[in-house]
Amino acid sequence: MEAPLDPLVAAAIHDAKNALMALDTRLAQAAHRATGADFSAARADVARIAGQLAELLTLYRAQGGQLRLAIDDHDLSDFLADLAAELGPPPAGIELAIDRAAAERIGPWAFDAYLLKLALLDALRNALRHARARVTLALDQPPEGGIRFTVSDDGPGFPAETLAGALVPSDGSGTGLGLAFARLIAARHRTPSGRAGRLELANRPGAVLEIWLP
Amino acid sequence: MDLHDKTGLLIDDMPEMRSSMRIQLADAGLEKCDTARNVKEAIDRLRDKRYDLIVCDYNLGQGADGQQFLELVRRKQLLPLSTAFLIVTGETGYEQVSTAAEYAPDDYLLKPFTAELLGARIGRILDKKAALAPIHRHLGPGGDRSKALAACDELLAQGGRHLLDVLRLKGELLTAADRNQEALALYEGVLQQRATPWAEVGKARILAALGKEDEARDHLQQALAAYPNYLAAYDSLAQLVEKTDKAAAQQIVEQALRVAPSTQRQRRLGNLALENKDYARAETAFRRTVEKDRTGFFKGHDDYVGLAKSCVEQGKTMEALAAVKDMGASFANTPELKARQAAVECQVHVRAGNESAAKAALDRALAVQKAGGLDAATALEVARACFAGGKQEEAKQIIQTVAEDHDENPAVLAQAQGVFAAAGLDDEGTLFLEATKKRMIRLNNDAVALAKSGQLDEAIAMLTEAADRLPNNCQIAINAAQALLMHVLRNGADAARVARARGYLDQARAINPEHPKLAEADAFHAKVAKAAPAT
């Protein structure tokens, strides 16, 4: 399903991302000058929108057959530390638990750190928005091989149609971009022997999102 | 990690980026940080001083990038393995950086980032450098690879978080030492635990070394399906396929170039296209190597030679001569340059039918060549011109000297064979080079026999004459030194002969510090010099 890409679209997305970076710099400068004022929520919004644009660009390039994953070894503890730093502190009243012990145990794994980080940041932001009190990011090695990142929250769970595979939820709860991106990124992680990653969604009873990597 | 006692070098062509990065580095604790604005300044700094860390922007201007700079300084041995290399890039450069080629940076960082993140990343890579230091110590020029392997085993026994990096280094060391079965077992052991591109490529290289070339090729193709950005897999596959199918190899190099641009690969593409008689493609490839690099550090004489040859084969005589002229404008005016220009100009004129211009150019090339001291590639180019200009005997004389001088270097011998082949003398070339090789073996054997029968003076005369005439022959220089030392051992203290032996060992070390006989010869020298101190 490859289609020739319109360079205008990619250029427009790039432009918008650069404008966001400039906005973020202004916010940082304003935060520096105005002592006491809290710009962290505004900056978090900027980071979220920038992440979505990056996802959009990736999906767009994948459609044109121009997405190539850059797979390399990454230490999982370091990866989770970077992820937590980029996500920032959770909103007031919500606890975020990240399973660092499993990362220590597994050590390094080969994956595209940039794309996987985008997918997990989106999933975590989404979980933090819907959670009542708690979000967890767990990591384990399932018996069938590979590794699995699990993002779960104690909110109302995914809408039934999302679990059934609908791309865009009709209740206006989101665009479906994040899930489409996570599904693409998981599936594009493959091994030479033909094993591939996947995305799994469930309600237990809060939303559970699993990214399986081979 | 405390970075206060660490030294850094920041390379970025944009003044505002340099100053903001310096502030961020200082905030992260790295206060001792030099800066360089371009490739030339960076190379000058690296020649002067050893750094703990290089922070390099991906875009360096003048057609240069951080990845190519890294390859250049590692290859030129200006950057020891103990120095960490961090590439900073925008998101658009990220794919090109993170495409692990033979020389990968220790880490890359996407802009924008905070000083905190920068500090954390630097801390991590310096930690890793420190952990691997016991291995890296033995991997520099003249290092003892067996000690490096022993250090790998010690670190593996200790455990710790960098085990996979140690295994990767050990795999490379075993491969380089032709310990193929052990390397294969290592790679298969890693792959049983986890799929990872370097172990797949490592395994494929071993399969090829074991003669299972079809299996190696299938393995690399499967690896590329899963890891389409992994440049080392393209490079290995092209190398493997090149032996039997140069057109397919050309396609693979084209694919790799779509992943990441590189002067090195453009050059490879140009050379393959030349061999495939795809002259238009060769011309574009060489044009890109010479035009893109405005620093002059990444391109070489060969690129202009390739450009001239691909032009003349298409009947573009003017363009070919222009390439010869541009070559003169792009590099320092050395005898190599002059000989190259004249030799290529001669071949262009021969091809265009300008007999007198060809003869004049050939005379100029031969005049430089007769003065001596040309490197092998240039001397062979002069030999090509001789064949083209009808001077067969001169051509053979030049090739013979080159082949004797480099009789242990298969790459040079293959180039020499290529010169014969281009002149339509493939079979004669094979016989000629075989005979040269046998003559060198006989020379060494005869000298050893003379020495054993007590005729040391004769052996010394024979070997030192050869070592002086063939300044790139490592084995001859070592044998000359050993004959001198045996003389001292047998006839007693003789400071002059010990010093002469030292000279030949230094000559050998300059040619190939890794020569297998060198360490033993050095030890012999130390023993004799101690027993017979200079008085």
Side-chain angles (χ1 to χ4, degrees):
Chain A
M1 253 153 306
E2 291 183 13
L5 293 184
D6 183 348
L8 192 66
V9 178
I13 300 176
H14 266 301
D15 246 17
K17 282 197 67 186
N18 287 340
L20 274 175
M21 289 311 147
L23 174 60
D24 191 54
T25 310
R26 282 170 201 275
L27 284 172
Q29 286 164 349
H32 199 68
R33 279 197 300 270
T35 43
D38 186 6
F39 286 87
S40 59
R43 294 192 71 189
D45 281 341
V46 169
R48 181 173 56 82
I49 303 168
Q52 286 179 327
L53 287 175
E55 291 182 344
L56 196 56
L57 194 60
T58 307
L59 283 165
Y60 182 69
R61 294 180 59 202
Q63 262 177 22
Q66 289 181 8
L67 175 66
R68 284 186 304 257
L69 264 56
I71 309 287
D72 214 340
D73 287 345
H74 299 279
D75 186 274
L76 286 165
S77 304
D78 291 344
F79 177 71
L80 291 186
D82 286 355
L83 190 71
E86 205 159 324
L87 187 64
I94 306 218
E95 181 202 356
L96 171 65
I98 296 182
D99 181 5
R100 305 272 177 97
E104 275 306 310
R105 205 165 51 242
I106 304 170
W109 202 261
F111 53 90
D112 187 316
Y114 169 67
L115 294 175
L116 183 66
K117 194 162 75 181
L118 275 178
L120 285 171
L121 280 173
D122 194 322
L124 285 164
R125 287 185 183 120
N126 210 35
L128 288 168
R129 212 166 53 234
H130 291 99
R132 280 185 296 121
R134 188 178 159 82
V135 169
T136 58
L137 170 59
L139 177 61
D140 70 334
Q141 281 185 292
E144 66 175 80
I147 57 170
R148 171 173 58 187
F149 293 87
T150 306
V151 177
S152 35
D153 65 63
D154 57 358
F158 290 112
E161 54 187 353
T162 300
L163 289 183
L167 278 178
V168 182
S170 57
D171 63 353
S173 65
T175 59
L177 173 66
L179 291 181
F181 179 79
R183 189 166 283 128
L184 171 78
I185 294 314
R188 284 294 189 93
H189 276 86
R190 297 174 46 195
T191 67
S193 60
R195 290 188 295 120
R198 64 179 188 273
L199 179 75
E200 287 194 3
L201 304 176
N203 287 337
R204 279 182 214 139
V208 177
L209 175 147
E210 297 178 344
I211 295 179
W212 295 60
L213 297 183
Chain B
M1 176 182 262
D2 186 9
L3 301 179
H4 286 90
D5 60 338
K6 304 289 181 194
T7 53
L9 172 65
L10 168 66
I11 313 169
D12 198 321
D13 63 321
M14 311 277 282
E16 56 283 17
M17 286 308 294
R18 261 197 323 274
S19 58
S20 81
M21 268 300 288
R22 260 197 96 162
I23 294 170
Q24 283 198 304
L25 285 166
D27 284 350
L30 189 79
E31 281 155 0
K32 290 186 213 158
C33 190
D34 294 337
T35 57
R37 291 176 296 180
N38 51 44
V39 170
K40 184 184 179 308
E41 283 188 5
I43 286 178
D44 288 345
R45 297 255 181 229
L46 288 175
R47 286 215 163 101
D48 280 356
K49 195 168 156 186
R50 208 201 69 82
Y51 293 94
D52 296 305
L53 170 74
I54 313 292
V55 179
C56 184
D57 196 72
Y58 181 73
N59 289 308
L60 295 178
Q62 301 174 295
D65 64 60
Q67 175 64 36
Q68 289 211 58
F69 173 73
L70 169 64
E71 288 175 18
L72 179 78
V73 290
R74 286 255 198 257
R75 203 168 285 137
K76 284 186 176 246
Q77 302 192 325
L78 287 170
L79 187 72
L81 281 169
S82 54
T83 299
F85 199 93
L86 173 67
I87 291 186
V88 173
T89 168
E91 271 168 48
T92 37
Y94 137 86
E95 274 184 46
Q96 287 161 6
V97 178
S98 58
T99 46
E102 191 184 347
Y103 300 91
D106 295 286
D107 202 356
Y108 46 88
L109 197 51
L110 297 192
K111 288 189 271 197
F113 46 79
T114 59
E116 212 179 357
L117 182 69
L118 178 65
R121 288 293 188 90
I122 292 175
R124 252 179 234 165
I125 58 179
L126 292 181
D127 266 347
K128 184 158 141 186
K129 282 287 172 201
L132 300 178
I135 307 170
H136 287 157
R137 187 172 305 142
H138 302 293
L139 292 182
D144 184 341
R145 300 294 187 268
S146 62
K147 286 186 181 150
L149 267 170
C152 287
D153 288 332
E154 262 173 55
L155 289 175
L156 288 172
Q158 283 166 23
R161 67 183 304 207
H162 299 293
L163 284 187
L164 205 56
D165 299 295
V166 178
L167 281 169
R168 187 174 182 166
L169 281 169
K170 186 178 175 186
E172 286 165 12
L173 284 163
L174 288 173
T175 305
D178 288 327
R179 288 162 68 173
N180 293 329
Q181 293 302 339
E182 289 163 87
L184 186 62
L186 182 147
Y187 289 127
E188 286 181 338
V190 169
L191 290 171
Q192 265 170 22
Q193 301 293 321
R194 48 170 50 82
T196 186
W198 60 265
E200 297 284 358
V201 173
K203 180 177 168 183
R205 283 183 184 145
I206 294 297
L207 288 172
L210 291 170
K212 301 178 181 173
E213 303 206 334
D214 291 347
E215 218 179 304
R217 203 178 49 231
D218 292 349
H219 201 80
L220 286 168
Q221 272 155 353
Q222 280 172 12
L224 278 173
Y227 312 125
N229 257 26
Y230 205 72
L231 286 171
Y234 290 100
D235 293 343
S236 294
L237 186 58
Q239 208 179 349
L240 202 56
V241 168
E242 190 182 341
K243 291 180 194 162
T244 50
D245 186 347
K246 292 212 158 61
Q250 186 181 331
Q251 288 309 311
I252 295 160
V253 178
E254 295 262 19
Q255 283 174 19
L257 274 168
R258 280 197 284 274
V259 174
S262 128
T263 304
Q264 189 93 350
R265 278 186 204 89
Q266 285 288 356
R267 178 177 304 138
R268 194 148 178 221
L269 176 61
N271 284 323
L272 281 165
L274 265 185
E275 289 189 66
N276 289 328
K277 303 200 189 314
D278 186 353
Y279 299 118
R281 189 68 192 91
E283 183 189 344
T284 348
F286 285 122
R287 226 172 252 298
R288 197 153 297 164
T289 63
V290 304
E291 281 167 11
K292 191 186 169 240
D293 170 26
R294 296 188 301 283
T295 70
F297 281 102
F298 302 99
K299 58 188 170 190
H301 296 173
D302 285 345
D303 298 320
Y304 287 91
V305 174
L307 180 57
K309 287 183 180 170
S310 46
C311 286
V312 77
E313 291 296 340
Q314 298 173 82
K316 300 180 183 174
T317 309
M318 297 309 287
E319 281 95 330
L321 291 173
V324 175
K325 197 162 161 255
D326 289 345
M327 175 165 140
S330 306
F331 302 102
N333 192 10
T334 56
E336 264 88 12
L337 179 75
K338 276 188 237 155
R340 266 300 169 91
Q341 278 185 294
V344 176
E345 198 184 318
C346 162
Q347 294 169 75
V348 170
H349 283 309
V350 168
R351 198 82 174 73
N354 309 327
E355 232 174 82
S356 59
K359 191 181 173 306
L362 183 54
D363 288 344
R364 267 184 287 134
L366 280 169
V368 186
Q369 196 272 330
K370 293 218 165 79
L374 291 183
D375 64 25
T378 308
L380 289 175
E381 196 67 60
V382 177
R384 270 179 205 268
C386 288
F387 275 131
K391 297 197 170 196
Q392 290 227 4
E393 281 320 304
E394 283 87 342
K396 287 181 193 165
Q397 189 53 49
I398 294 170
I399 296 175
Q400 178 171 327
T401 306
V402 170
E404 287 180 357
D405 206 4
H406 298 269
D407 74 325
E408 292 179 300
N409 186 336
V412 172
L413 295 177
Q415 282 164 16
Q417 180 67 36
V419 177
F420 277 109
L425 300 168
D426 221 335
D427 294 341
E428 191 181 341
T430 311
L431 293 175
F432 186 89
L433 291 170
E434 274 303 315
T436 304
K437 209 158 184 179
K438 281 198 187 120
R439 204 163 46 246
M440 293 310 289
I441 294 171
R442 203 181 321 125
L443 170 71
N444 278 312
N445 288 348
D446 288 355
V448 171
L450 281 173
K452 278 190 179 148
S453 69
Q455 293 166 274
L456 267 173
D457 286 322
E458 289 80 351
I460 289 171
M462 209 167 148
L463 286 164
T464 54
E465 183 277 326
D468 294 341
R469 187 170 56 86
L470 306 170
N472 292 294
N473 194 311
C474 199
Q475 179 73 61
I476 295 271
I478 291 173
N479 286 353
Q482 276 174 328
L484 284 160
L485 293 170
M486 279 170 72
H487 191 284
V488 179
L489 203 61
R490 201 161 300 166
N491 302 305
D494 179 349
R497 283 199 175 82
V498 173
R500 273 185 85 198
R502 180 73 265 156
Y504 287 119
L505 289 176
D506 290 345
Q507 178 174 327
R509 180 174 312 283
I511 302 163
N512 177 14
E514 315 286 342
H515 195 283
K517 300 264 173 67
L518 188 56
E520 197 187 319
D522 270 334
F524 185 31
H525 177 270
K527 196 178 103 186
V528 174
K530 204 172 158 195
T535 42

